[in-house]
Amino acid sequence: MKYGRFEDLPVWQAAIELAVRVYDLTRDRFFNQPGDLHSQLRRASLSVSNNIAEGFERGSTAELLAFLYIARGSCGETRSMLLFTERSPEATHLKSEISNLKSLAESCSKQIRGWADSLQNSDIKG
């Protein structure tokens, strides 16, 4: 299937859902502590959909691939911070939502990897 807009991509839709849900999570009192976990987690999660969009709007397959790998890295960064949060005794009331978000981030990562693999193995060189 060929997509004309990044907004129609299932992986972008999953990634934007990840960011929305991370923003909701970080409104919790746990994230009012000193430090930048709150803002870093938000930035990393939003970076996933933003890099998918930017790569899609670029003019070449090579640029798209570069941005897809950045997006995938942001999925990992998001998961890492969620794992950190999950281990904090003060965040036990967030465990269920954190588990769901880790799964969503992992799903995004797998989708991005699959797309990148198919682009690398295709005859499309534009």
Side-chain angles (χ1 to χ4, degrees), residues 97-115:
E97 183 59 15
I98 290 170
S99 177
N100 293 336
L101 287 170
K102 287 187 315 185
S103 295
L104 183 53
E106 190 165 358
S107 173
C108 288
S109 184
K110 287 178 182 177
Q111 290 178 63
I112 292 166
R113 179 61 188 257
W115 187 14

Side-chain angles (χ1 to χ4, degrees), residues 24-33 85-101:
D24 287 345
L25 176 78
T26 56
R27 288 186 183 99
D28 185 86
R29 68 186 182 277
F30 171 79
F31 293 94
N32 292 337
Q33 308 177 48
T85 302
E86 184 177 57
R87 291 180 181 204
S88 175
E90 297 89 11
T92 56
H93 64 289
L94 300 173
K95 282 196 185 287
S96 177
E97 183 59 15
I98 290 170
S99 177
N100 293 336
L101 287 170

Side-chain angles (χ1 to χ4, degrees), residues 32-84:
N32 292 337
Q33 308 177 48
D36 65 349
L37 179 62
H38 172 269
S39 61
Q40 184 64 24
L41 182 52
R42 284 181 167 197
R43 286 192 311 270
S45 67
L46 189 55
S47 177
V48 179
S49 60
N50 284 345
N51 279 290
I52 292 168
E54 186 167 356
F56 187 87
E57 295 290 331
R58 295 289 180 130
S60 72
T61 301
E63 287 179 299
L64 172 57
L65 280 166
F67 280 94
L68 290 178
Y69 285 120
I70 293 167
R72 191 161 185 253
S74 294
C75 285
E77 185 180 3
T78 299
R79 268 196 346 264
S80 179
M81 286 184 277
L82 290 169
L83 285 160
F84 172 82

